[in-house]
Amino acid sequence: MDLPRGLAGVVIDQTSISSTKNARLTYSGYPIEEICQASFEEVVYLLWYGRLPNKEELQKFRKMLVRKMVLPAETVRLLLYIAREPQHPMSILRTTTSLLGTTNDVEHDEPPRILAKMLTVIAAIVRIRNNEPLIDVDEKMGVVENFLYMLTGERPDEELAKMFSTVMILQADHEFNASTFTARVVASTFADYYSCLTAAVCALKGPLHGGANERVFEMLEKVYDHDMDPIDYVKDAFKRGRKVMGFGHRIYKHGDPRAKLLRPIAEKMAKRTGNMYFFEVQTEIADYMLKEKGLYPNVDYYTALIYHCVGLKKDVFTTIFAACRTAGWLAHVMEQRREKTLIRPCSEYVGPDERHYLPDVND
Ligand code: COA
């Protein structure tokens, strides 16, 4: 049997949340090029309920999410204890997501509270690692503004909030990507939300998925620290048979539509924060990768620089991706629960032919 490796091209179920048909990303029918102009809360509502909210619904939804961006005291206590180096932030997020699922009222936890808590946990991990005090939510601001405020300790200006909102929307969902598929498998067993999200965080951690953004910045730093020609870095990676992180995609063979929208944001952020050196290195590497390998940058390539410009250290980059993707994970967990079908595929067995155990042979 000629099996597609890694389920490439295999349609395993239906979804009405998002689509990458014809290499175009749409959320519930809206092209991302258009829906990225909406607010993050509108997009979360769309992913969860299949339609955009009206003005009143949006206001209520935003208020409810912001109010819920508060952590149980026991979670904060644990975070203060475990969130420090040398543990990787994604390992801390994995453990904390699991811990959130052990509080008394977990059975009553619904997606809005879960999303709100995940955002606050991620901001808290970042602050604790920087030895900075935790920031309380400001109910006068929206979800994105609060997330940035809780991460950096500074209320963002309008331009920054708008750009970061687009960044969060572009990463909010992506049909059956590895971490979402993982969450759906767990959801199909009727496990609770936190079990689904913990599994999703584990899948996102790896460098072939969400972990790529950290490696992208590692590359940019290496070029800078050693005053290297960026093309020499890439040639060396090729020589060693290594992949260049932030390039290539299972679905998008002619360019990731999210990367096209993120590139001008990365440039603007780099200009705002005096990081144009990194943007120029990225441009040089991207041109070379296309010429030499026909590979385009993916979503993680430009978010790496954007997160750096926000003032974040590279080891927390993937947790920010998790913050954005939690909205999509929850949408898929809800959809999978409605489906009421266990995901349990089959395998092609290629081991030894049937043989027989002889109890006395090892006497
Ligand atoms: N750098 C160098 N070569 C790459 C590459 C990269 N980033 N991505 C793919 N290739 C090459 C592979 O080596 C392979 O070459 P070959 O056919 O000569 O062996 C070919 O392109 C196909 O790659 P493959 O890994 O089989 O494609 P895929 O569809 O399974 O993989 C990714 C998609 C994302 C896993 C892959 O592109 C990758 O590992 N990229 C780097 C990690 C990354 O940025 N991940 C974030 C994804 S959003």
Side-chain angles (χ1 to χ4, degrees):
M1 216 189 313
D2 210 5
L3 290 173
R5 305 299 295 169
L7 294 178
V10 177
V11 176
I12 74 115
D13 208 343
Q14 299 180 322
T15 180
S16 50
I17 299 168
S18 62
S19 160
T20 56
K21 198 167 168 210
N22 299 326
R24 291 185 65 234
L25 177 58
T26 54
Y27 290 170
S28 197
Y30 294 96
I32 45 149
E33 292 78 7
E34 294 173 28
I35 202 66
C36 72
Q37 296 163 44
S39 66
F40 181 66
E41 294 90 337
E42 270 177 296
V43 171
V44 175
Y45 194 101
L46 173 69
L47 294 172
W48 289 359
Y49 309 119
R51 66 169 178 88
L52 288 167
N54 62 33
K55 242 182 175 165
E56 201 182 310
E57 287 168 330
L58 176 62
Q59 250 176 11
K60 247 169 105 179
F61 189 61
R62 175 173 293 145
K63 219 178 209 173
M64 171 185 64
L65 284 174
V66 168
R67 284 217 175 117
K68 292 178 191 293
M69 290 176 86
V70 177
L71 293 178
E74 63 194 281
T75 310
V76 175
R77 267 200 303 277
L78 177 97
L79 275 172
L80 287 168
Y81 186 64
I82 66 164
R84 305 196 185 272
E85 291 180 21
Q87 276 73 26
H88 192 276
M90 279 300 279
S91 303
I92 297 160
L93 180 62
R94 180 189 62 212
T95 302
T96 314
T97 309
S98 178
L99 180 94
L100 285 173
T102 64
T103 47
N104 291 337
D105 51 357
V106 64
E107 286 306 318
H108 308 292
D109 257 6
E110 288 298 326
R113 196 147 91 114
I114 299 172
L115 172 62
K117 281 203 272 190
M118 288 289 282
L119 294 173
T120 310
V121 159
I122 290 161
I125 292 173
V126 172
R127 301 287 295 175
I128 292 168
R129 291 175 74 85
N130 289 342
N131 285 316
E132 289 163 336
L134 302 189
I135 307 277
D136 287 336
V137 67
D138 178 347
E139 290 191 12
K140 291 192 288 304
M141 298 191 296
V143 171
V144 174
E145 291 86 344
N146 264 299
F147 185 49
L148 278 169
Y149 176 46
M150 290 167 122
L151 281 169
T152 64
E154 282 170 32
R155 288 178 175 79
D157 60 42
E158 209 177 301
E159 188 188 49
L160 174 60
K162 180 72 199 134
M163 285 192 283
F164 206 75
S165 168
T166 305
V167 171
M168 290 188 75
I169 290 169
L170 291 175
Q171 294 178 93
D173 196 44
H174 206 220
E175 51 111 355
F176 282 24
N177 62 88
S179 55
T180 301
F181 181 54
T182 305
R184 287 192 74 123
V185 171
V186 181
S188 82
T189 71
F190 285 159
D192 63 281
Y193 281 109
Y194 289 107
S195 299
C196 302
L197 293 194
T198 306
V201 169
C202 294
L204 189 75
K205 186 173 190 269
L208 295 192
H209 191 11
N213 54 16
E214 179 181 346
R215 272 65 174 200
V216 169
F217 204 74
E218 215 167 76
M219 164 173 82
L220 300 182
E221 268 183 346
K222 192 165 175 197
V223 169
Y224 176 78
D225 289 347
H226 297 88
D227 198 16
M228 279 174 92
D229 178 342
I231 305 308
D232 286 344
Y233 176 95
V234 177
K235 282 182 180 164
D236 185 58
F238 289 167
K239 211 163 72 197
R240 292 167 194 261
R242 288 195 189 140
K243 283 180 169 172
V244 181
M245 291 291 134
F247 285 91
H249 199 277
R250 175 62 66 78
I251 307 265
Y252 307 120
K253 298 303 178 192
H254 303 287
D256 181 333
R258 299 164 300 175
K260 283 184 203 148
L261 295 166
L262 288 165
R263 187 175 190 275
I265 298 179
E267 184 177 14
K268 217 173 201 176
M269 295 275 286
K271 268 194 191 133
R272 265 175 70 117
T273 54
N275 280 297
M276 277 307 280
Y277 166 83
F278 289 123
F279 182 74
E280 277 152 19
V281 169
Q282 284 198 312
T283 304
E284 215 175 314
I285 293 178
D287 290 346
Y288 188 75
M289 286 295 285
L290 185 60
K291 187 164 70 100
E292 287 301 308
K293 293 268 179 188
L295 288 169
Y296 292 83
N298 57 46
V299 67
D300 296 308
Y301 194 60
Y302 293 115
T303 51
L305 178 54
I306 292 167
Y307 296 156
H308 173 73
C309 294
V310 168
L312 301 169
K313 292 184 184 152
K314 64 178 184 292
D315 65 350
V316 301
F317 285 4
T318 311
T319 65
I320 309 298
F321 190 168
C324 311
R325 186 54 60 83
T326 300
W329 288 335
L330 287 166
H332 283 268
V333 170
M334 286 189 265
E335 186 176 64
Q336 186 63 47
R337 284 176 156 211
R338 287 193 296 271
E339 186 116 336
K340 296 189 172 58
T341 311
L342 176 73
I343 297 176
R344 200 291 187 199
C346 300
S347 60
E348 181 195 7
Y349 176 69
V350 293
D353 286 342
E354 184 166 327
R355 45 190 168 166
H356 298 284
Y357 174 65
L358 302 174
D360 298 335
V361 116
N362 292 324
D363 272 1

